[in-house]
Amino acid sequence: MNYVDGFVLAVKAENRDLYRRHATTAAGVFKEYGALKVVECWGDDVPEGKLTSFPMAVKREPDEVVVFSWVEWPSRAERDEGMKKVMADPRLQPDVMTMPFDGKRLIYGGFEVIVDV
């Protein structure tokens, strides 16, 4: 079964186009190194919670939007190999590509798919 890397982050609303360009470039690199699919979602209905929520998790500021994204891989092994290449790729290095978000507030993790309907 496939493997998924998930991401939640906050992006300044005014940086939507910049983020889209960044995400499009990154998606091409992920796909080049074996990802099956890359999905980027701009928050539209992301409520504040009382105990937990996406906005609380990323410490969203008033001028920011929550972004939810995932990368689908054929397997954990292919993800591990592909991710090494992605992280080393010069096109995604901070000195080449401006990060349109605060990476310190990025939440990410790898997930084994257990239901896919």
Side-chain angles (χ1 to χ4, degrees), residues 69-104:
S69 62
W70 68 91
V71 179
E72 186 176 341
W73 301 89
S75 68
R76 166 83 189 260
E78 290 178 71
R79 174 269 207 165
D80 290 348
E81 283 303 310
M83 192 60 88
K84 285 180 200 172
K85 295 173 184 173
V86 167
M87 298 308 288
D89 192 289
R91 293 170 288 183
L92 299 183
Q93 299 307 308
D95 56 329
V96 173
M97 176 178 270
T98 302
M99 299 296 274
F101 58 90
D102 179 359
K104 292 177 185 165

PDB file of all heavy atoms in Angstrom, residues 69-104:
ATOM      1  N   SER A  69      -1.123  19.919   3.013  1.00  0.00           N
ATOM      2  CA  SER A  69      -0.637  19.276   1.798  1.00  0.00           C
ATOM      3  C   SER A  69      -0.160  17.871   2.082  1.00  0.00           C
ATOM      4  O   SER A  69       0.079  17.499   3.235  1.00  0.00           O
ATOM      5  CB  SER A  69       0.476  20.109   1.159  1.00  0.00           C
ATOM      6  OG  SER A  69       1.578  20.229   2.012  1.00  0.00           O
ATOM      7  N   TRP A  70      -0.057  17.091   1.007  1.00  0.00           N
ATOM      8  CA  TRP A  70       0.477  15.748   1.157  1.00  0.00           C
ATOM      9  C   TRP A  70       1.171  15.309  -0.119  1.00  0.00           C
ATOM     10  O   TRP A  70       0.905  15.809  -1.203  1.00  0.00           O
ATOM     11  CB  TRP A  70      -0.596  14.760   1.585  1.00  0.00           C
ATOM     12  CG  TRP A  70      -1.665  14.445   0.591  1.00  0.00           C
ATOM     13  CD1 TRP A  70      -1.671  13.447  -0.335  1.00  0.00           C
ATOM     14  CD2 TRP A  70      -2.915  15.121   0.435  1.00  0.00           C
ATOM     15  NE1 TRP A  70      -2.834  13.461  -1.050  1.00  0.00           N
ATOM     16  CE2 TRP A  70      -3.620  14.469  -0.593  1.00  0.00           C
ATOM     17  CE3 TRP A  70      -3.502  16.209   1.069  1.00  0.00           C
ATOM     18  CZ2 TRP A  70      -4.880  14.877  -1.017  1.00  0.00           C
ATOM     19  CZ3 TRP A  70      -4.764  16.615   0.639  1.00  0.00           C
ATOM     20  CH2 TRP A  70      -5.430  15.952  -0.377  1.00  0.00           C
ATOM     21  N   VAL A  71       2.104  14.385   0.075  1.00  0.00           N
ATOM     22  CA  VAL A  71       2.840  13.774  -1.020  1.00  0.00           C
ATOM     23  C   VAL A  71       2.611  12.274  -0.920  1.00  0.00           C
ATOM     24  O   VAL A  71       2.841  11.686   0.135  1.00  0.00           O
ATOM     25  CB  VAL A  71       4.357  14.083  -0.922  1.00  0.00           C
ATOM     26  CG1 VAL A  71       5.113  13.410  -2.061  1.00  0.00           C
ATOM     27  CG2 VAL A  71       4.609  15.585  -0.907  1.00  0.00           C
ATOM     28  N   GLU A  72       2.153  11.686  -1.999  1.00  0.00           N
ATOM     29  CA  GLU A  72       1.893  10.251  -2.021  1.00  0.00           C
ATOM     30  C   GLU A  72       3.045   9.534  -2.720  1.00  0.00           C
ATOM     31  O   GLU A  72       3.481   9.941  -3.793  1.00  0.00           O
ATOM     32  CB  GLU A  72       0.587   9.984  -2.760  1.00  0.00           C
ATOM     33  CG  GLU A  72       0.151   8.546  -2.728  1.00  0.00           C
ATOM     34  CD  GLU A  72      -1.189   8.336  -3.393  1.00  0.00           C
ATOM     35  OE1 GLU A  72      -1.952   9.314  -3.571  1.00  0.00           O
ATOM     36  OE2 GLU A  72      -1.480   7.184  -3.748  1.00  0.00           O
ATOM     37  N   TRP A  73       3.520   8.476  -2.083  1.00  0.00           N
ATOM     38  CA  TRP A  73       4.634   7.669  -2.587  1.00  0.00           C
ATOM     39  C   TRP A  73       4.171   6.226  -2.788  1.00  0.00           C
ATOM     40  O   TRP A  73       3.230   5.789  -2.129  1.00  0.00           O
ATOM     41  CB  TRP A  73       5.781   7.661  -1.572  1.00  0.00           C
ATOM     42  CG  TRP A  73       6.337   9.002  -1.232  1.00  0.00           C
ATOM     43  CD1 TRP A  73       5.915   9.840  -0.243  1.00  0.00           C
ATOM     44  CD2 TRP A  73       7.422   9.672  -1.871  1.00  0.00           C
ATOM     45  NE1 TRP A  73       6.672  10.984  -0.228  1.00  0.00           N
ATOM     46  CE2 TRP A  73       7.608  10.909  -1.215  1.00  0.00           C
ATOM     47  CE3 TRP A  73       8.255   9.344  -2.933  1.00  0.00           C
ATOM     48  CZ2 TRP A  73       8.597  11.805  -1.598  1.00  0.00           C
ATOM     49  CZ3 TRP A  73       9.245  10.242  -3.307  1.00  0.00           C
ATOM     50  CH2 TRP A  73       9.409  11.460  -2.646  1.00  0.00           C
ATOM     51  N   PRO A  74       4.869   5.459  -3.623  1.00  0.00           N
ATOM     52  CA  PRO A  74       4.498   4.054  -3.813  1.00  0.00           C
ATOM     53  C   PRO A  74       4.682   3.200  -2.552  1.00  0.00           C
ATOM     54  O   PRO A  74       3.935   2.250  -2.342  1.00  0.00           O
ATOM     55  CB  PRO A  74       5.429   3.560  -4.916  1.00  0.00           C
ATOM     56  CG  PRO A  74       5.944   4.781  -5.587  1.00  0.00           C
ATOM     57  CD  PRO A  74       5.908   5.880  -4.558  1.00  0.00           C
ATOM     58  N   SER A  75       5.661   3.538  -1.723  1.00  0.00           N
ATOM     59  CA  SER A  75       5.948   2.759  -0.518  1.00  0.00           C
ATOM     60  C   SER A  75       6.814   3.585   0.415  1.00  0.00           C
ATOM     61  O   SER A  75       7.378   4.609   0.019  1.00  0.00           O
ATOM     62  CB  SER A  75       6.688   1.463  -0.876  1.00  0.00           C
ATOM     63  OG  SER A  75       7.997   1.775  -1.358  1.00  0.00           O
ATOM     64  N   ARG A  76       6.967   3.121   1.634  1.00  0.00           N
ATOM     65  CA  ARG A  76       7.848   3.793   2.598  1.00  0.00           C
ATOM     66  C   ARG A  76       9.293   3.755   2.106  1.00  0.00           C
ATOM     67  O   ARG A  76      10.025   4.749   2.197  1.00  0.00           O
ATOM     68  CB  ARG A  76       7.719   3.118   3.971  1.00  0.00           C
ATOM     69  CG  ARG A  76       8.808   3.484   4.976  1.00  0.00           C
ATOM     70  CD  ARG A  76       8.513   4.791   5.681  1.00  0.00           C
ATOM     71  NE  ARG A  76       9.617   5.262   6.466  1.00  0.00           N
ATOM     72  CZ  ARG A  76       9.748   5.123   7.782  1.00  0.00           C
ATOM     73  NH1 ARG A  76       8.832   4.481   8.477  1.00  0.00           N
ATOM     74  NH2 ARG A  76      10.785   5.626   8.409  1.00  0.00           N
ATOM     75  N   ALA A  77       9.730   2.622   1.571  1.00  0.00           N
ATOM     76  CA  ALA A  77      11.111   2.500   1.093  1.00  0.00           C
ATOM     77  C   ALA A  77      11.386   3.480  -0.045  1.00  0.00           C
ATOM     78  O   ALA A  77      12.429   4.155  -0.055  1.00  0.00           O
ATOM     79  CB  ALA A  77      11.391   1.062   0.641  1.00  0.00           C
ATOM     80  N   GLU A  78      10.428   3.601  -0.975  1.00  0.00           N
ATOM     81  CA  GLU A  78      10.628   4.537  -2.092  1.00  0.00           C
ATOM     82  C   GLU A  78      10.563   5.983  -1.606  1.00  0.00           C
ATOM     83  O   GLU A  78      11.259   6.847  -2.121  1.00  0.00           O
ATOM     84  CB  GLU A  78       9.615   4.270  -3.189  1.00  0.00           C
ATOM     85  CG  GLU A  78       9.911   2.937  -3.893  1.00  0.00           C
ATOM     86  CD  GLU A  78       8.903   2.586  -4.959  1.00  0.00           C
ATOM     87  OE1 GLU A  78       8.910   3.257  -6.000  1.00  0.00           O
ATOM     88  OE2 GLU A  78       8.116   1.654  -4.724  1.00  0.00           O
ATOM     89  N   ARG A  79       9.752   6.233  -0.589  1.00  0.00           N
ATOM     90  CA  ARG A  79       9.717   7.571   0.006  1.00  0.00           C
ATOM     91  C   ARG A  79      11.038   7.909   0.666  1.00  0.00           C
ATOM     92  O   ARG A  79      11.571   9.004   0.504  1.00  0.00           O
ATOM     93  CB  ARG A  79       8.573   7.650   1.008  1.00  0.00           C
ATOM     94  CG  ARG A  79       8.527   8.954   1.790  1.00  0.00           C
ATOM     95  CD  ARG A  79       9.318   8.852   3.058  1.00  0.00           C
ATOM     96  NE  ARG A  79       8.815   9.748   4.052  1.00  0.00           N
ATOM     97  CZ  ARG A  79       9.116   9.671   5.329  1.00  0.00           C
ATOM     98  NH1 ARG A  79       9.900   8.724   5.779  1.00  0.00           N
ATOM     99  NH2 ARG A  79       8.644  10.526   6.189  1.00  0.00           N
ATOM    100  N   ASP A  80      11.597   6.960   1.423  1.00  0.00           N
ATOM    101  CA  ASP A  80      12.861   7.219   2.108  1.00  0.00           C
ATOM    102  C   ASP A  80      13.964   7.554   1.111  1.00  0.00           C
ATOM    103  O   ASP A  80      14.726   8.504   1.317  1.00  0.00           O
ATOM    104  CB  ASP A  80      13.263   6.025   2.981  1.00  0.00           C
ATOM    105  CG  ASP A  80      12.366   5.858   4.202  1.00  0.00           C
ATOM    106  OD1 ASP A  80      11.578   6.778   4.510  1.00  0.00           O
ATOM    107  OD2 ASP A  80      12.462   4.797   4.844  1.00  0.00           O
ATOM    108  N   GLU A  81      14.040   6.806   0.033  1.00  0.00           N
ATOM    109  CA  GLU A  81      15.053   7.067  -1.002  1.00  0.00           C
ATOM    110  C   GLU A  81      14.768   8.384  -1.721  1.00  0.00           C
ATOM    111  O   GLU A  81      15.672   9.193  -1.943  1.00  0.00           O
ATOM    112  CB  GLU A  81      15.113   5.917  -2.006  1.00  0.00           C
ATOM    113  CG  GLU A  81      15.833   4.704  -1.491  1.00  0.00           C
ATOM    114  CD  GLU A  81      17.269   5.000  -1.055  1.00  0.00           C
ATOM    115  OE1 GLU A  81      18.021   5.631  -1.838  1.00  0.00           O
ATOM    116  OE2 GLU A  81      17.627   4.615   0.064  1.00  0.00           O
ATOM    117  N   GLY A  82      13.515   8.588  -2.102  1.00  0.00           N
ATOM    118  CA  GLY A  82      13.154   9.812  -2.814  1.00  0.00           C
ATOM    119  C   GLY A  82      13.348  11.055  -1.971  1.00  0.00           C
ATOM    120  O   GLY A  82      13.839  12.074  -2.456  1.00  0.00           O
ATOM    121  N   MET A  83      13.004  10.976  -0.694  1.00  0.00           N
ATOM    122  CA  MET A  83      13.116  12.136   0.182  1.00  0.00           C
ATOM    123  C   MET A  83      14.570  12.549   0.378  1.00  0.00           C
ATOM    124  O   MET A  83      14.873  13.742   0.462  1.00  0.00           O
ATOM    125  CB  MET A  83      12.431  11.867   1.524  1.00  0.00           C
ATOM    126  CG  MET A  83      12.252  13.107   2.362  1.00  0.00           C
ATOM    127  SD  MET A  83      11.264  14.388   1.572  1.00  0.00           S
ATOM    128  CE  MET A  83       9.641  13.907   2.088  1.00  0.00           C
ATOM    129  N   LYS A  84      15.477  11.581   0.435  1.00  0.00           N
ATOM    130  CA  LYS A  84      16.912  11.917   0.520  1.00  0.00           C
ATOM    131  C   LYS A  84      17.318  12.773  -0.673  1.00  0.00           C
ATOM    132  O   LYS A  84      18.035  13.766  -0.534  1.00  0.00           O
ATOM    133  CB  LYS A  84      17.762  10.644   0.534  1.00  0.00           C
ATOM    134  CG  LYS A  84      17.754   9.881   1.818  1.00  0.00           C
ATOM    135  CD  LYS A  84      18.636   8.643   1.682  1.00  0.00           C
ATOM    136  CE  LYS A  84      18.303   7.617   2.731  1.00  0.00           C
ATOM    137  NZ  LYS A  84      18.994   6.349   2.510  1.00  0.00           N
ATOM    138  N   LYS A  85      16.852  12.385  -1.842  1.00  0.00           N
ATOM    139  CA  LYS A  85      17.188  13.128  -3.067  1.00  0.00           C
ATOM    140  C   LYS A  85      16.516  14.496  -3.084  1.00  0.00           C
ATOM    141  O   LYS A  85      17.128  15.481  -3.497  1.00  0.00           O
ATOM    142  CB  LYS A  85      16.791  12.306  -4.286  1.00  0.00           C
ATOM    143  CG  LYS A  85      17.592  11.027  -4.425  1.00  0.00           C
ATOM    144  CD  LYS A  85      17.064  10.157  -5.544  1.00  0.00           C
ATOM    145  CE  LYS A  85      17.822   8.840  -5.589  1.00  0.00           C
ATOM    146  NZ  LYS A  85      17.221   7.903  -6.549  1.00  0.00           N
ATOM    147  N   VAL A  86      15.270  14.546  -2.644  1.00  0.00           N
ATOM    148  CA  VAL A  86      14.548  15.822  -2.589  1.00  0.00           C
ATOM    149  C   VAL A  86      15.293  16.801  -1.680  1.00  0.00           C
ATOM    150  O   VAL A  86      15.527  17.961  -2.041  1.00  0.00           O
ATOM    151  CB  VAL A  86      13.096  15.613  -2.090  1.00  0.00           C
ATOM    152  CG1 VAL A  86      12.453  16.942  -1.722  1.00  0.00           C
ATOM    153  CG2 VAL A  86      12.265  14.880  -3.130  1.00  0.00           C
ATOM    154  N   MET A  87      15.665  16.342  -0.493  1.00  0.00           N
ATOM    155  CA  MET A  87      16.318  17.230   0.478  1.00  0.00           C
ATOM    156  C   MET A  87      17.691  17.704   0.013  1.00  0.00           C
ATOM    157  O   MET A  87      18.147  18.767   0.408  1.00  0.00           O
ATOM    158  CB  MET A  87      16.424  16.536   1.840  1.00  0.00           C
ATOM    159  CG  MET A  87      15.070  16.176   2.453  1.00  0.00           C
ATOM    160  SD  MET A  87      13.912  17.545   2.537  1.00  0.00           S
ATOM    161  CE  MET A  87      14.634  18.522   3.826  1.00  0.00           C
ATOM    162  N   ALA A  88      18.337  16.920  -0.850  1.00  0.00           N
ATOM    163  CA  ALA A  88      19.657  17.295  -1.355  1.00  0.00           C
ATOM    164  C   ALA A  88      19.585  18.079  -2.667  1.00  0.00           C
ATOM    165  O   ALA A  88      20.591  18.636  -3.108  1.00  0.00           O
ATOM    166  CB  ALA A  88      20.502  16.038  -1.568  1.00  0.00           C
ATOM    167  N   ASP A  89      18.431  18.154  -3.273  1.00  0.00           N
ATOM    168  CA  ASP A  89      18.306  18.795  -4.583  1.00  0.00           C
ATOM    169  C   ASP A  89      18.593  20.294  -4.479  1.00  0.00           C
ATOM    170  O   ASP A  89      17.991  20.988  -3.658  1.00  0.00           O
ATOM    171  CB  ASP A  89      16.900  18.571  -5.147  1.00  0.00           C
ATOM    172  CG  ASP A  89      16.813  18.956  -6.609  1.00  0.00           C
ATOM    173  OD1 ASP A  89      16.866  20.167  -6.917  1.00  0.00           O
ATOM    174  OD2 ASP A  89      16.720  18.040  -7.449  1.00  0.00           O
ATOM    175  N   PRO A  90      19.484  20.803  -5.308  1.00  0.00           N
ATOM    176  CA  PRO A  90      19.849  22.223  -5.224  1.00  0.00           C
ATOM    177  C   PRO A  90      18.696  23.177  -5.536  1.00  0.00           C
ATOM    178  O   PRO A  90      18.695  24.313  -5.067  1.00  0.00           O
ATOM    179  CB  PRO A  90      20.981  22.376  -6.242  1.00  0.00           C
ATOM    180  CG  PRO A  90      20.937  21.165  -7.091  1.00  0.00           C
ATOM    181  CD  PRO A  90      20.269  20.087  -6.305  1.00  0.00           C
ATOM    182  N   ARG A  91      17.694  22.736  -6.269  1.00  0.00           N
ATOM    183  CA  ARG A  91      16.562  23.619  -6.606  1.00  0.00           C
ATOM    184  C   ARG A  91      15.715  23.979  -5.396  1.00  0.00           C
ATOM    185  O   ARG A  91      14.989  24.970  -5.419  1.00  0.00           O
ATOM    186  CB  ARG A  91      15.670  22.948  -7.661  1.00  0.00           C
ATOM    187  CG  ARG A  91      16.355  22.800  -9.013  1.00  0.00           C
ATOM    188  CD  ARG A  91      15.544  21.942  -9.937  1.00  0.00           C
ATOM    189  NE  ARG A  91      15.633  20.548  -9.486  1.00  0.00           N
ATOM    190  CZ  ARG A  91      15.068  19.522 -10.123  1.00  0.00           C
ATOM    191  NH1 ARG A  91      14.349  19.739 -11.211  1.00  0.00           N
ATOM    192  NH2 ARG A  91      15.203  18.299  -9.667  1.00  0.00           N
ATOM    193  N   LEU A  92      15.831  23.197  -4.327  1.00  0.00           N
ATOM    194  CA  LEU A  92      15.012  23.457  -3.143  1.00  0.00           C
ATOM    195  C   LEU A  92      15.813  23.979  -1.955  1.00  0.00           C
ATOM    196  O   LEU A  92      15.285  24.079  -0.853  1.00  0.00           O
ATOM    197  CB  LEU A  92      14.261  22.180  -2.739  1.00  0.00           C
ATOM    198  CG  LEU A  92      13.305  21.619  -3.780  1.00  0.00           C
ATOM    199  CD1 LEU A  92      12.582  20.404  -3.237  1.00  0.00           C
ATOM    200  CD2 LEU A  92      12.315  22.661  -4.256  1.00  0.00           C
ATOM    201  N   GLN A  93      17.053  24.319  -2.170  1.00  0.00           N
ATOM    202  CA  GLN A  93      17.888  24.821  -1.078  1.00  0.00           C
ATOM    203  C   GLN A  93      17.522  26.267  -0.742  1.00  0.00           C
ATOM    204  O   GLN A  93      17.175  27.044  -1.635  1.00  0.00           O
ATOM    205  CB  GLN A  93      19.370  24.712  -1.442  1.00  0.00           C
ATOM    206  CG  GLN A  93      19.825  23.286  -1.692  1.00  0.00           C
ATOM    207  CD  GLN A  93      19.482  22.349  -0.546  1.00  0.00           C
ATOM    208  OE1 GLN A  93      19.790  22.619   0.596  1.00  0.00           O
ATOM    209  NE2 GLN A  93      18.825  21.248  -0.871  1.00  0.00           N
ATOM    210  N   PRO A  94      17.561  26.632   0.527  1.00  0.00           N
ATOM    211  CA  PRO A  94      17.156  27.980   0.946  1.00  0.00           C
ATOM    212  C   PRO A  94      17.915  29.111   0.264  1.00  0.00           C
ATOM    213  O   PRO A  94      17.356  30.193   0.079  1.00  0.00           O
ATOM    214  CB  PRO A  94      17.446  27.992   2.457  1.00  0.00           C
ATOM    215  CG  PRO A  94      17.511  26.565   2.848  1.00  0.00           C
ATOM    216  CD  PRO A  94      17.960  25.799   1.635  1.00  0.00           C
ATOM    217  N   ASP A  95      19.158  28.874  -0.150  1.00  0.00           N
ATOM    218  CA  ASP A  95      19.900  29.947  -0.815  1.00  0.00           C
ATOM    219  C   ASP A  95      19.453  30.135  -2.265  1.00  0.00           C
ATOM    220  O   ASP A  95      19.734  31.146  -2.873  1.00  0.00           O
ATOM    221  CB  ASP A  95      21.410  29.697  -0.742  1.00  0.00           C
ATOM    222  CG  ASP A  95      21.827  28.355  -1.327  1.00  0.00           C
ATOM    223  OD1 ASP A  95      21.034  27.399  -1.258  1.00  0.00           O
ATOM    224  OD2 ASP A  95      22.946  28.270  -1.843  1.00  0.00           O
ATOM    225  N   VAL A  96      18.693  29.182  -2.800  1.00  0.00           N
ATOM    226  CA  VAL A  96      18.180  29.268  -4.169  1.00  0.00           C
ATOM    227  C   VAL A  96      16.705  29.654  -4.167  1.00  0.00           C
ATOM    228  O   VAL A  96      16.259  30.452  -4.972  1.00  0.00           O
ATOM    229  CB  VAL A  96      18.361  27.912  -4.904  1.00  0.00           C
ATOM    230  CG1 VAL A  96      17.698  27.926  -6.263  1.00  0.00           C
ATOM    231  CG2 VAL A  96      19.835  27.559  -5.010  1.00  0.00           C
ATOM    232  N   MET A  97      15.944  29.072  -3.249  1.00  0.00           N
ATOM    233  CA  MET A  97      14.499  29.265  -3.207  1.00  0.00           C
ATOM    234  C   MET A  97      14.095  29.943  -1.902  1.00  0.00           C
ATOM    235  O   MET A  97      14.405  29.450  -0.827  1.00  0.00           O
ATOM    236  CB  MET A  97      13.802  27.912  -3.326  1.00  0.00           C
ATOM    237  CG  MET A  97      12.314  27.982  -3.202  1.00  0.00           C
ATOM    238  SD  MET A  97      11.546  26.383  -3.405  1.00  0.00           S
ATOM    239  CE  MET A  97      11.280  26.406  -5.158  1.00  0.00           C
ATOM    240  N   THR A  98      13.406  31.071  -2.014  1.00  0.00           N
ATOM    241  CA  THR A  98      12.894  31.759  -0.836  1.00  0.00           C
ATOM    242  C   THR A  98      11.716  30.972  -0.277  1.00  0.00           C
ATOM    243  O   THR A  98      10.781  30.631  -1.008  1.00  0.00           O
ATOM    244  CB  THR A  98      12.436  33.183  -1.207  1.00  0.00           C
ATOM    245  OG1 THR A  98      13.545  33.876  -1.765  1.00  0.00           O
ATOM    246  CG2 THR A  98      11.903  33.916   0.008  1.00  0.00           C
ATOM    247  N   MET A  99      11.763  30.686   1.007  1.00  0.00           N
ATOM    248  CA  MET A  99      10.675  29.960   1.649  1.00  0.00           C
ATOM    249  C   MET A  99       9.557  30.952   1.984  1.00  0.00           C
ATOM    250  O   MET A  99       9.782  31.883   2.759  1.00  0.00           O
ATOM    251  CB  MET A  99      11.169  29.281   2.930  1.00  0.00           C
ATOM    252  CG  MET A  99      12.272  28.271   2.703  1.00  0.00           C
ATOM    253  SD  MET A  99      11.738  26.885   1.717  1.00  0.00           S
ATOM    254  CE  MET A  99      11.063  25.877   2.988  1.00  0.00           C
ATOM    255  N   PRO A 100       8.356  30.771   1.431  1.00  0.00           N
ATOM    256  CA  PRO A 100       7.263  31.713   1.693  1.00  0.00           C
ATOM    257  C   PRO A 100       6.473  31.392   2.965  1.00  0.00           C
ATOM    258  O   PRO A 100       5.299  31.721   3.077  1.00  0.00           O
ATOM    259  CB  PRO A 100       6.386  31.555   0.442  1.00  0.00           C
ATOM    260  CG  PRO A 100       6.618  30.158   0.000  1.00  0.00           C
ATOM    261  CD  PRO A 100       8.042  29.821   0.378  1.00  0.00           C
ATOM    262  N   PHE A 101       7.120  30.728   3.909  1.00  0.00           N
ATOM    263  CA  PHE A 101       6.484  30.392   5.182  1.00  0.00           C
ATOM    264  C   PHE A 101       7.568  30.191   6.228  1.00  0.00           C
ATOM    265  O   PHE A 101       8.743  30.066   5.907  1.00  0.00           O
ATOM    266  CB  PHE A 101       5.619  29.132   5.061  1.00  0.00           C
ATOM    267  CG  PHE A 101       6.366  27.915   4.584  1.00  0.00           C
ATOM    268  CD1 PHE A 101       6.974  27.059   5.486  1.00  0.00           C
ATOM    269  CD2 PHE A 101       6.462  27.634   3.232  1.00  0.00           C
ATOM    270  CE1 PHE A 101       7.680  25.944   5.049  1.00  0.00           C
ATOM    271  CE2 PHE A 101       7.155  26.518   2.785  1.00  0.00           C
ATOM    272  CZ  PHE A 101       7.760  25.672   3.690  1.00  0.00           C
ATOM    273  N   ASP A 102       7.164  30.173   7.490  1.00  0.00           N
ATOM    274  CA  ASP A 102       8.088  29.961   8.605  1.00  0.00           C
ATOM    275  C   ASP A 102       8.237  28.457   8.838  1.00  0.00           C
ATOM    276  O   ASP A 102       7.346  27.810   9.383  1.00  0.00           O
ATOM    277  CB  ASP A 102       7.543  30.648   9.852  1.00  0.00           C
ATOM    278  CG  ASP A 102       8.415  30.482  11.078  1.00  0.00           C
ATOM    279  OD1 ASP A 102       9.466  29.805  10.989  1.00  0.00           O
ATOM    280  OD2 ASP A 102       8.048  31.019  12.135  1.00  0.00           O
ATOM    281  N   GLY A 103       9.355  27.909   8.414  1.00  0.00           N
ATOM    282  CA  GLY A 103       9.601  26.479   8.523  1.00  0.00           C
ATOM    283  C   GLY A 103       9.616  25.955   9.949  1.00  0.00           C
ATOM    284  O   GLY A 103       9.407  24.766  10.177  1.00  0.00           O
ATOM    285  N   LYS A 104       9.814  26.843  10.924  1.00  0.00           N
ATOM    286  CA  LYS A 104       9.811  26.413  12.330  1.00  0.00           C
ATOM    287  C   LYS A 104       8.413  26.015  12.787  1.00  0.00           C
ATOM    288  O   LYS A 104       8.264  25.305  13.776  1.00  0.00           O
ATOM    289  CB  LYS A 104      10.354  27.530  13.222  1.00  0.00           C
ATOM    290  CG  LYS A 104      11.823  27.797  13.000  1.00  0.00           C
ATOM    291  CD  LYS A 104      12.304  28.961  13.844  1.00  0.00           C
ATOM    292  CE  LYS A 104      13.741  29.273  13.485  1.00  0.00           C
ATOM    293  NZ  LYS A 104      14.138  30.576  13.989  1.00  0.00           N
TER     294      LYS A 104
END
